[in-house]
Amino acid sequence: MIQLSTYLKKIVLLGVLCSGGLGYAQLMVPFKSRFEKHLKGDLVVIANNTVNRSDFNNQANDAYYNHTNQALLNDEFYMDYIDIDKDDATFSSSSAELYVENPSGKKIVFAGLYWAATYKYEEGAQKGSEKYIPVNPQRTSFTSVLLKLPGSKQYTSVQGQLLFDGITTKATQEMAPYAVFADVTSLVQSLSNPFGVYTVANVRATLGTLSGGSAAGWSLFVVYEDASLSEKFISLNDGFLSLSQQPVDFTYMGFHTPTSGEVRVKLAFANLEGDNNLIGDQVLLGNAKTGSFFPITDSRRKPNNFFNSSITLDGQYMMNRFPDSKNTLGYDTCLFSIFNSNNQLVPNDAREATLRLLSSGDQSFVYVTGMVVDSDNQPKVIEKKGLTQVPNKNEFKLTGTQRTLKFIPANIDLLSENNAKTTSSFNRFCRDQAVESQKKTDIQMLNITGAEAAYYLVTGIFKTEGAANEYYRFLKSKGFEPVEFTNPLNQYRYIAILKTQSQEQAVIKLLNKMEGTFKECIQIVAVNKNITQLYADAAWNIKHLETSRVTQQEEDRVKIQWATIPNEDQGYYIIANVFAISENTDNFMNALKKKGFHPKKMVNTQNKFQYVYLKKVATQQEAQIWVQSQMNGQYHDKLWVLSVNNSNETITDNDH
């Protein structure tokens, strides 16, 4: 095994390392520790791609929102540089906003900038069905970029450290992928406010067409301290790995999870050339000693297509980017919380956890891995050193289940790819999206520094001020009181016909079309709202409304949901809230306890939802009485009933 430090990490390579062959792992550069520390704080990441498709309908700066099974791959497009800054000194540039809640009290301790691309030559073209030829055979140095920090109008030149250059290795010469790292901690620490918009320019890549496709992007990983947060072990590592069907294990050591209570885990990755519609790449988490592994997945990343050309955070697309493409055409970055049900993946009193990466189809390159895990800062010293190659028996099975959410916080493609200046293009694109998502009530998440936190019923998004003003006057003439706000990252202008603090009211007003007064397309945009505060069942609660108006009788009706949940007691549960992330479940339960309640938690293993309930009773009639009485007048927020294991009919949260 590879010992990266005295006791913090090891990497076990399962199989024979070699330079070719689909069946063998290709660890081009062994991974090593870039940052490791126990601290009270957390890890955040922002990223963006720097090349995009360019054709007669779209320029590279126009976001590519098609992330469906019908989307083309990067080797099916002419690829060109994204360049948003209107600066003649740059040939490529894209930006993203580093946003955190309550930024005061957060101290930056590490900031690592990575950039990567496929770069065989400056520009290529396809000749015939298989042959790719250089149009411009030049290949320029790519180990430096320009970085524009928040609040600055000028770029700073950043010189990086080369991690890998694929032009030097036979197995990767056709695509020639590279990866570069630069420690920008001192630059970020020098800012009075490190949170804001970062722009990275001059990331070199092959333009036009290339065997396997042209892809490029950058990622900024930031670790901060915050005394109000729990103690964690944070580890970031980099190298270069070409995924294959031969698994490679990364075993994280040097932490000690709590001896009781929930163990929270986050994973982070940066990856190149994980195609959207090429399946086979997988990330699993488990225990190498027992051979028990489970696939990692969320609403944006499938168990057999984990690296899928997207930039995501906890199951939603990172939207605070310009451009904010859902499909980044070969560039992946993600940070997400693992659903560690009953501490099955990482248990209490654990001192190690193993990631397993492999691909049986899609070729992709991993160059950053990271883990954040609850730890009490009592690591056990590991004495073993050196490298051990362990034969792979390929005995693990994909026994996990894919996580799906009733609400899918995402970029809902409100902008037409060709033109976002008219209401008609907005409506047409919205209708197309509704068909794709099977008419689910999706909520778009958007963080805007300084904006009021609220749910907005958006009916138009515009690129030009004139078009936005014209539409604003149109809504006024129809008797609406429109609300307008601008995303400063990309200057898109959002116009809404309702602003509310109630998510349920927003969903109701959307489904009944503002009580029948607005016939066109509406989308909910949650501005500066925590994703984990979204009710997983909100759409179901109002799905069966039969009229355009919500009557008082319908408001008073007790909502009942049915589910079969293994290993849970039969009964009727009075539900106060549902969450997807455990930390928010704990916060909500603590708030209830301060009010004198005695809440309990139940986890549905079929969809990973965590239900907070106030009481369990034996009959449906008794449950209805408790809800209608609002717990004898003691509880003033929404309640509903979950019927568990009471019928042969199984109705899960995703079947409504």
Side-chain angles (χ1 to χ4, degrees), residues 242 609 650:
S242 176
F609 291 153
T650 300

Side-chain angles (χ1 to χ4, degrees), residues 448-509:
I448 299 179
T449 302
E452 180 182 355
Y455 297 94
Y456 294 81
L457 262 61
V458 172
T459 59
I461 302 181
F462 304 90
K463 292 182 179 178
T464 66
E465 184 178 3
N469 292 340
E470 181 180 351
Y471 182 62
Y472 186 95
R473 291 191 293 269
F474 167 77
L475 290 178
K476 290 281 289 186
S477 71
K478 297 299 181 181
F480 294 99
E481 293 296 330
V483 179
E484 181 178 1
F485 62 90
T486 300
N487 185 347
L489 187 62
N490 51 27
Q491 297 304 312
Y492 291 163
R493 294 161 175 84
Y494 291 68
I495 297 182
I497 54 176
L498 177 70
K499 179 180 70 174
T500 176
Q501 293 299 319
S502 168
Q503 179 197 127
E504 187 169 10
Q505 181 188 23
V507 175
I508 290 172
K509 292 293 186 180

